Amino acid sequence: MKAFPLHAHAHPPGSILFYYGVNRFSEAFLTGFAATLKSQGLVTDEFSHLDDGKLVGLFLSGLLMLVIASLSIPLAFLIAREVWGLTQAWNATLIMAFVPAFSLLAPEMDQVYVNFALFALWLFLRFSSAWHDILNGIGIGFMMFFSFPLAVIV
């Protein structure tokens, strides 16, 4: 354990493996995109020391996290529709979309893996077949891969 970074001592490996996978993908396929990022002025001095593959990986991982975090809005609609009905679901969706407290105060990776919990909760509320129970278990498994406390909440 002493050879691992401090973060790996107390956290599951999901976040680290997410970044590693995105960096490996960008180093293999997207290194030419770094020149575009630099020419558009999207690279500040603090990131100029990175090689092209890691620079694109950093940009791509941030973009992916924002896209995945935005999926919590339709998931909140689906859960609210199952629990309270269509009118309250639209109200919950508007609140989730226009009150950015979660997206401003929570770290980016927390916004990503909360979607696994929301997806598992929606499957639990909506369906009751064996296949959906298997998907629910997979969702909870991915959630535990990213965060242990979140699985206790569900």
Side-chain angles (χ1 to χ4, degrees):
M1 282 297 280
K2 293 185 185 216
F4 292 117
L6 184 61
H7 184 271
H9 287 254
H11 293 81
S15 303
I16 295 169
L17 291 177
F18 173 80
Y19 288 123
Y20 178 77
V22 169
N23 281 335
R24 296 303 298 170
F25 175 80
S26 64
E27 286 174 358
F29 300 108
L30 301 174
T31 52
F33 186 61
T36 305
L37 289 175
K38 291 176 183 175
S39 68
Q40 295 296 323
L42 297 173
V43 179
T44 60
D45 291 336
E46 64 183 309
F47 299 113
S48 61
H49 68 281
L50 296 174
D51 64 351
D52 289 348
K54 291 199 184 340
L55 182 67
V56 174
L58 185 66
F59 180 78
L60 185 63
S61 63
L63 188 63
L64 278 175
M65 283 191 285
L66 290 174
V67 168
I68 294 171
S70 67
L71 291 177
S72 63
I73 295 171
L75 284 170
F77 171 79
L78 293 172
I79 291 169
R81 186 180 67 185
E82 292 300 320
V83 175
W84 295 296
L86 191 59
T87 304
Q88 297 301 328
W90 282 113
N91 291 338
T93 304
L94 290 173
I95 289 171
M96 189 84 165
F98 293 114
V99 179
F102 180 65
S103 61
L104 291 176
L105 300 177
E108 284 184 16
M109 209 59 200
D110 290 350
Q111 297 173 27
V112 170
Y113 59 70
V114 77
N115 286 326
F116 294 120
L118 291 175
F119 182 68
L121 179 62
W122 176 69
L123 282 177
F124 176 74
L125 292 171
R126 179 74 171 118
F127 303 104
S128 63
S129 69
W131 289 107
H132 293 101
D133 291 342
I134 290 171
L135 285 175
N136 194 2
I138 291 171
I140 291 173
F142 274 123
M143 193 172 45
M144 294 236 355
F145 198 60
F146 284 94
S147 170
F148 294 134
L150 195 57
V152 173
I153 293 171
V154 171

